[in-house]
Amino acid sequence: MSELIGITVNGEEREFDGPLTVTQLLERLDLPQRGIAVAVDGAVFPRGRWSESVGRGWEIDILTAVQGG
């Protein structure tokens, strides 16, 4: 039986079956892994750490790159 992990994603409180990594979170949200940046609790979360498990209570912001001028 997996536990529920409560996190905030882009200002919205969500619950996911855990444990899950940042990469798995992006997959569950149907988001690409390229052209985005992830911040946890207001600090950039480097791509090299995306294989780490998401912690309960994290505030995650997912930002997408936008082209324009």
Side-chain angles (χ1 to χ4, degrees):
M1 186 169 149
S2 60
E3 65 180 84
L4 288 179
I5 296 174
I7 59 175
T8 302
V9 179
N10 291 346
E12 181 182 338
E13 292 185 25
R14 310 271 307 257
E15 286 190 339
F16 295 92
D17 287 330
L20 82 154
T21 65
V22 172
T23 300
Q24 291 169 329
L25 172 65
L26 296 173
E27 290 171 357
R28 290 191 189 178
L29 295 173
D30 199 27
L31 293 170
Q33 293 184 27
R34 295 183 57 113
I36 65 168
V38 175
V40 175
D41 297 331
V44 173
F45 198 74
R47 188 175 301 271
R49 294 184 58 195
W50 288 10
S51 62
E52 295 180 19
S53 294
V54 171
R56 178 178 285 118
W58 280 14
E59 290 189 25
I60 299 174
D61 291 303
I62 301 169
L63 310 164
T64 57
V66 178
Q67 290 184 326

